[in-house]
Amino acid sequence: MLTRSALIYLSRQEGLKEFASKFGIFKKLTTRFIAGETIDEAIAAIREVNARGCTASFDHLNESVNSAGETEAEVTEYLDVLAKIDETRIKSNVSIKLTQFGLEIDPELAYQNARRVVSEAARRGNFVRIDMEGSGVTQATIDVFKRLRSEFGLNEVGIVLQSYLYRTMADARELVKIPARIRICKGAYNEPPDVAYPQKKDVDENYVRVMQLLLSSGIYHGIATHDPKMIDATINFAEREGIGKDAFEFQMLYGIRRDLQEQLARDGWGMRVYVPYGKHWYPYFMRRLAERPANIWFVMKNLFR
Ligand SMILES: Cc1cc2nc3c(=O)[nH]c(=O)nc-3n(C[C@H](O)[C@H](O)[C@H](O)COP(=O)(O)OP(=O)(O)OC[C@H]3O[C@@H](n4cnc5c(N)ncnc54)[C@H](O)[C@@H]3O)c2cc1C
């Protein structure tokens, strides 16, 4: 059986993706977790997500942006996505990564690029979520978000926090005061023990603490997890505190725990599915397999279907 670290190693080997892409069969393998390579394929996937009672968030995958020119293509992609959402009337907002907009090249460039997308979303009555990346860019991401939030409304731009970071509770307390819409997730990057809880138990406990703070704030937040324990803790807390089903939403990734997504939507909870698409799907796909090597089995079943 492939181990998690071996899969994470393979996720960094873009050359393998080039090799894999040459064979049509690999497309079949990836469709469980990736909505396709184009906006139109993502729209088709989102129509199905909407038909299952869930809203969506577009995520254009591209972890290989290395120049200002390449960031321009990302902005154009998201402006197209926002226009297509309106044209097709699908229920979706967008999620962006500031490194794709140039955060590691020049934070000012990332701010200007993100500003163009948020401004267009605001004009169209839509919402932009700024994903959170590795701890090396946490502060820079929050700084850009705060600048944008000072110019745009609560329902126009939001951010993500990760419960594995020690700093997150303090960030959550500060950001709800602005106020800000937050997505809480556990965190997906490999972080050292001086910035993040090494034990899953502590990450989970912090998740519950932050979730309770968010739900008590009266602001509409996103509770992003596939973990039934986190979901039960959220529902129990909401019911105990008399927090309505429309006061926040659950969020999950495309293709993961579809049964649970549908069940929560049927039970009347807000449920948003994060829909990744794009040519650069390979590292994202491999990370999902690494998170749960049992998913290799799902992928193999698809192959022989
Ligand atoms: C909508 C959304 C947006 C996200 N945005 C960000 C972001 O901006 N920044 C960031 O760092 N991370 C982000 N993440 C990823 C997140 O941080 C976690 O890495 C990921 O969600 C796995 O954590 P978990 O809460 O699902 O629980 P885990 O502790 O990983 O898993 C708990 C249980 O959930 C189920 N499960 C989890 N993963 C899978 C899987 N792949 N297949 C099947 N079952 C599974 C299993 O039952 C498992 O036992 C996002 C996640 C979601 C859902």
Side-chain angles (χ1 to χ4, degrees):
M1 182 56 116
L2 285 169
T3 63
R4 181 172 184 273
S5 51
L7 285 162
I8 286 187
Y9 170 78
L10 289 173
S11 79
R12 297 198 199 98
Q13 310 304 309
E14 267 280 324
L16 270 182
K17 186 247 169 175
E18 296 309 320
F19 173 77
S21 303
K22 290 203 171 63
F23 301 91
I25 208 165
F26 281 91
K27 192 168 168 139
K28 236 183 151 184
L29 289 179
T30 54
T31 48
R32 185 179 168 89
F33 302 113
I34 316 289
E37 295 203 350
T38 65
I39 298 180
D40 288 342
E41 285 173 302
I43 286 171
I46 290 177
R47 281 194 208 281
E48 282 176 29
V49 165
N50 287 171
R52 294 192 282 113
C54 308
T55 54
S57 192
F58 268 88
D59 166 36
H60 184 238
L61 298 170
N62 190 358
E63 296 176 29
S64 56
V65 172
N66 298 312
S67 70
E70 285 168 318
T71 71
E72 186 61 29
E74 288 301 309
V75 174
T76 307
E77 180 80 15
Y78 273 100
L79 297 181
D80 285 354
V81 165
L82 286 165
K84 286 256 173 92
I85 292 173
D86 274 2
E87 258 169 50
T88 57
R89 297 170 179 245
I90 52 173
K91 289 189 196 132
S92 185
N93 60 29
V94 300
S95 293
I96 61 173
K97 285 192 173 51
L98 292 183
T99 56
Q100 277 171 233
F101 284 7
L103 191 62
E104 284 166 322
I105 302 167
D106 173 9
E108 185 61 24
L109 172 70
Y111 160 72
Q112 293 296 345
N113 282 335
R115 191 178 187 288
R116 287 162 64 197
V117 175
V118 176
S119 172
E120 180 67 0
R123 192 179 73 76
R124 294 179 178 278
N126 211 327
F127 175 79
V128 178
R129 174 79 63 186
I130 300 179
D131 285 349
M132 189 55 81
E133 304 176 67
S135 61
V137 294
T138 306
Q139 191 57 50
T141 303
I142 292 176
D143 291 345
V144 169
F145 166 72
K146 281 186 178 163
R147 270 178 91 181
L148 291 167
R149 180 63 189 89
S150 69
E151 295 172 83
F152 296 94
L154 175 65
N155 293 319
E156 291 167 350
V157 62
I159 193 165
V160 179
L161 293 177
Q162 302 147 321
S163 73
Y164 63 15
L165 294 185
Y166 301 131
R167 60 176 288 167
T168 287
M169 193 56 170
D171 288 333
R173 283 202 182 100
E174 194 196 331
L175 289 165
V176 292
K177 279 194 204 134
I178 293 180
R181 276 173 61 173
I182 296 169
R183 170 200 297 151
I184 183 68
C185 64
K186 291 191 188 178
Y189 298 79
N190 276 332
E191 297 292 358
D194 57 322
V195 300
Y197 295 104
Q199 304 289 336
K200 179 171 162 49
K201 176 179 150 290
D202 297 320
V203 177
D204 289 358
E205 279 174 16
N206 199 38
Y207 190 100
V208 173
R209 280 194 296 271
V210 177
M211 172 275 289
Q212 293 184 346
L213 172 89
L214 298 186
L215 260 56
S216 306
S217 69
I219 305 162
Y220 188 90
H221 297 292
I223 307 299
T225 183
H226 315 95
D227 188 341
K229 287 206 290 295
M230 301 299 110
I231 291 165
D232 286 349
T234 306
I235 292 176
N236 289 340
F237 184 75
E239 288 178 346
R240 198 171 71 223
E241 300 294 312
I243 295 162
K245 287 186 172 173
D246 53 0
F248 66 94
E249 64 188 26
F250 287 108
Q251 301 182 343
M252 292 189 206
L253 303 180
Y254 183 73
I256 298 183
R257 293 303 311 265
R258 272 189 296 211
D259 54 336
L260 195 50
Q261 294 174 11
E262 283 175 25
Q263 187 200 314
L264 288 167
R266 269 199 308 274
D267 291 348
W269 299 98
M271 180 73 240
R272 188 176 298 277
V273 176
Y274 182 99
V275 179
Y277 79 100
K279 288 194 169 53
H280 300 273
W281 48 262
Y282 179 79
Y284 175 92
F285 173 71
M286 293 301 284
R287 279 202 304 276
R288 297 289 84 80
L289 293 189
E291 243 163 42
R292 194 161 179 264
N295 277 328
I296 293 173
W297 173 239
F298 282 115
V299 163
M300 294 310 279
K301 272 199 307 201
N302 242 7
L303 181 61
F304 297 110
R305 205 171 270 164

